[in-house]
């Protein structure tokens, strides 16, 4: 007897990665180069108070809400 996997629908409670931006996306939204974000994280651990999540793949995932607050002029 073979086991079959049942396809599942897209879930609204997706992991935190779904509510984040890649470094390239965050940099584009902020009108800066991606290396500026990477350098700030290496140097200070954050960019303007926004701390990214480090993924198992070693990429950075930037919280979308924090980037939006930064763009609107709020303190992150």
């Amino acid at each position: 007897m073979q086991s079959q996997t049942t396809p599942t629908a897209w879930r609204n409670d997706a992991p935190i990665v779904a509510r984040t931006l890649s470094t390239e996306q965050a940099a584009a939204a902020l009108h800066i180069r991606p290396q500026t974000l990477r350098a700030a994280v290496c140097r200070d651990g954050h960019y303007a108070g926004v701390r990214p999540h480090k993924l198992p793949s070693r990429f950075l995932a930037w919280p979308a809400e924090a980037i939006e607050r930064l763009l609107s002029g709020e303190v992150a």
Side-chain angles (χ1 to χ4, degrees), residues 14-55:
I16 193 162
V17 176
R19 296 186 310 268
T20 60
L21 301 173
S22 69
T23 299
E24 288 74 18
Q25 291 169 329
L30 295 169
H31 302 288
I32 59 175
R33 295 182 338 170
Q35 188 57 32
T36 303
L37 291 174
R38 291 185 196 103
V41 170
C42 286
R43 185 178 50 247
D44 305 321
H46 62 88
Y47 176 80
V50 179
R51 294 186 186 277
H53 303 282
K54 196 164 192 178
L55 302 176

